[in-house]
Amino acid sequence: MEYNKLVRDNIPELIAGRGKKCIYHIADDREYNLKLREKLVEEAQEFLENPSEEEFADVLEVLDAIKGYMRLSGHKMGMKAYLNGRFEKRIILEKVLENE
């Protein structure tokens, strides 16, 4: 079976532990960036289909990897939350009206 997708670090060893062989390679920066984005979409879709703690953990793991790859600082992200707020008040924006 062919996959061509980013997998967790221990997957090759887990496959070998089941007595199977796998072929894999280490992504360069360009491919890693692309595969992280693809993985985020994949894991988000799985979470939407099955909103469970396990699927949520997968989404967070991918986001953490993207944060590390992009060298995002917690300070900048915290500033955005400070300035714009979070999503805790459950506000649904319906319209923005033009000034008359």
Side-chain angles (χ1 to χ4, degrees):
M1 183 174 260
E2 290 193 30
Y3 291 97
N4 192 31
K5 68 179 187 174
L6 184 66
V7 296
R8 289 178 177 264
D9 296 343
N10 296 339
I11 295 300
E13 289 83 7
L14 292 170
I15 291 170
R18 292 187 212 131
K20 296 183 178 182
K21 293 181 181 178
C22 65
I23 299 170
Y24 66 92
H25 69 275
I26 305 302
D28 62 21
D29 279 350
R30 183 172 172 222
E31 183 181 26
Y32 185 53
N33 185 25
L34 173 66
K35 294 300 182 181
L36 278 170
R37 293 164 190 251
E38 289 175 1
K39 183 58 98 173
L40 179 59
V41 171
E42 174 192 339
E43 296 299 351
Q45 185 62 42
E46 289 178 8
F47 177 75
L48 290 172
E49 293 170 7
N50 178 24
S52 64
E53 189 172 353
E54 182 179 336
E55 296 302 340
F56 183 71
D58 289 341
V59 172
L60 285 179
E61 192 67 35
V62 174
L63 288 172
D64 192 49
I66 291 170
K67 179 182 173 188
Y69 174 77
M70 295 180 68
R71 296 180 179 94
L72 301 176
S73 76
H75 175 72
K76 284 184 182 177
M77 292 185 292
M79 255 333 245
K80 183 160 188 176
Y82 175 75
L83 294 172
N84 296 344
R86 298 190 178 270
F87 297 98
E88 296 166 348
K89 294 181 180 177
R90 303 178 184 195
I91 296 170
I92 308 297
L93 182 65
E94 295 178 20
K95 288 183 186 180
V96 174
L97 304 175
E98 297 296 323
N99 292 337
E100 293 181 24

